[in-house]
Amino acid sequence: MLSTADALATLLGAARAIDGTETLSTLDALNRVLAVDVVSPLDVPPMHTSSMDGYAVRTADLTQGTGRLPVSQRIPAGHAPQPLAAGTAARIFTGATVPPGADAVVMQEQAEVAGDEVTILHRPNAGEWITAQGADIRSGSVILPAGTRLTPQALGLAASVGCAELTVQRRVKVAVFFTGDELTMPGDPLKPGAIYNSNRFTLRGLLVNLGCDVTDYGIVADRLDATRATLRDAAQAHDLILTCGGVSVGEEDHVKPAVEAEGRLSMWQIAMKPGKPLAFGAVRRPASDGEALAAEPATGTDATQATQATNATNATNATNATNTVAETFFIGLPGNPVSSFVTFLLFVRPFLLRLAGVRTVSPRALSLRADFTQQKGDRRNEFLRARVNATGGLDLFPNQSSAVLTSTVWGDGLIDNPPNHTISAGETVRFIPFSELLN
């Protein structure tokens, strides 16, 4: 079995940004991935502005510390001022342009007005309460690099330099299907031995949350021919085929032989709990449908992880294969609901983000105190569902079974527990919040 680090390195080593871009209104680009740098065409702010309601003055006119000055003009935000005459003050409002000649703003609480004159009660320093031109952004600077996933604040930043449109990567196209004759859709009668297909709702939600263009093939019959036919159809126009269930080694698990017949498998089992059976490979598609999705090396932080995969013999096919026909990537998730959820977050999510052109795909982890004791470690890397309590420590969900989906709703994230490691109360553990894994 591959370690989790080697498995992730294998996937990231094979992934590269998909081809194809589109130009969208900045208003419609939320959660999309920038295809080109956003370069500011101007300074922000584009002029010196007042950061307070008050009075713009020349500090040279206040050599005695205070003084009475005639108010020569009124400057609301959005209006062009006249140069400030020596020996006068200008009434100014927050965000308004500081008039030429003024070098400080005195807040209105430090001034007294009588008619057309103002008495300054505070001697300001040069630059006081003035936001300098370009204090936030300089013209010509890259404010959002290619590979940035566009958050609401990133859209605001792009708009602040006048970007009405943004060039983004096209959406990653994902085909998803589910295997298991026991699966029933909510709303249909539940026959003896059947279960509702919760994974369909969880995985579709995760894919949509990541901005993927999803084709849902639904539940595929537990037959080799049906699985192969669905793989062939899904390979035609998608970047990734994602399956759930059927990746174990039983007689009714047809995904592995189907993928091997229609393409190749490069990885099969991961030394993790939950989620040991996780498959990675590719399915052939006609070369005319597009160029082969060839592998390219990872860079940056992920390149360091990739070096750990050198001892994983199965990784060679995924990272070094020279494809003679076009292929669609394949990832097969286990069928247990917690296993499919956790393996998606840890492996499919970063893989999809890399396909989408995102450069930094590793979630940020926290070092938090365990407020529980786990006396027995597992030989595999465990990912324990836990949540942050009122004192900032972590509580453990009492049932860590891979079938208990309740734990994923109750919890705030996953404790990354190394193999064969017991946890003592008060110990610091590595915690990955769901907030880092769900977007």
Side-chain angles (χ1 to χ4, degrees), residues 20 39 47 58 152 189 192 203 303 365 380 437:
V39 180
M47 61 282 185
R58 297 170 177 264
L203 295 180
R380 293 172 287 169
L437 294 167

Side-chain angles (χ1 to χ4, degrees), residues 376-435:
K376 184 179 179 181
D378 194 273
R379 63 188 179 90
R380 293 172 287 169
N381 190 173
E382 291 183 285
F383 292 90
L384 307 169
R385 277 76 70 206
R387 72 179 178 189
V388 181
N389 58 38
T391 63
L394 293 171
D395 294 331
L396 189 69
F397 192 78
N399 188 343
Q400 292 289 318
S401 166
S402 60
V404 181
L405 194 58
T406 309
S407 64
T408 65
V409 176
W410 177 92
D412 295 326
L414 303 172
I415 294 173
D416 180 0
N417 191 37
N420 302 309
H421 180 73
T422 60
I423 299 175
S424 301
E427 177 182 343
T428 298
V429 296
R430 185 174 187 264
F431 181 71
I432 310 173
F434 284 146
S435 59

Side-chain angles (χ1 to χ4, degrees), residues 38-44 137-143 160-161 163:
V38 175
V39 180
S40 177
L42 48 78
D43 289 336
V44 177
I137 298 169
R138 284 292 187 184
S139 177
S141 63
V142 175
I143 59 168
S160 75
V161 299
C163 291

